[in-house]
Amino acid sequence: MQRIDVNGLDPSKPHWVAAVEAPSRDWSAAPGCRAHARFLVDGERKAPSLSQFELFDSRAECLAWIMANRRELSDQMPGAKIHPVPLADWLLGLS
C-alpha cells in the first residue's frame, strides 16, 4: 500500500503494519538516517520505507508475515527489531 492512499482506509477497523526503528545513525538499510528513525516495512523490497508498506487486518497476520519473512527482513535491515503496530498509532508517532 502507498502512504498517500491511507485516507481511503476504513477508520472504523484496525489496520496493522510492520514497523522498524533504525538501530544507529546512518544505518546501512537507510543511509543518512538518524538513530531511532522510524520506518514502515516495504513488503516487496523487505526494506525500510516511509511511503510504501504492507497492510494487515490483525496483529496476528502481521506477526505471521514478519515470521515468514524474517530471514529476508534480517538481511535487509541488520540489527533492527521489526514489530507489528497499529497504523494509526504509527502515523501519530505513538509507537
Side-chain angles (χ1 to χ4, degrees):
M1 166 169 243
Q2 294 288 330
R3 189 165 176 183
I4 60 172
D5 299 327
V6 167
N7 289 335
L9 293 173
D10 180 1
S12 66
K13 79 178 220 181
H15 302 285
W16 289 82
V17 292
V20 64
E21 186 176 300
S24 62
R25 183 173 171 252
D26 203 25
W27 180 37
S28 62
C33 75
R34 60 178 175 74
H36 308 291
R38 298 174 329 118
F39 297 95
L40 296 173
V41 177
D42 180 344
E44 290 180 31
R45 296 182 307 121
K46 310 291 190 285
S49 175
L50 293 173
S51 60
Q52 189 166 329
F53 55 92
E54 244 352 86
L55 187 66
F56 303 94
D57 291 328
S58 70
R59 182 176 189 274
E61 283 182 23
C62 188
L63 276 172
W65 182 84
I66 291 169
M67 292 306 294
N69 294 285
R70 66 184 175 270
R71 174 95 164 119
E72 280 182 272
L73 294 169
S74 177
D75 289 346
Q76 292 293 326
M77 298 179 282
K81 293 181 183 173
I82 301 136
H83 54 278
V85 297
L87 177 59
D89 288 359
W90 189 89
L91 291 171
L92 292 171
L94 300 175
S95 53

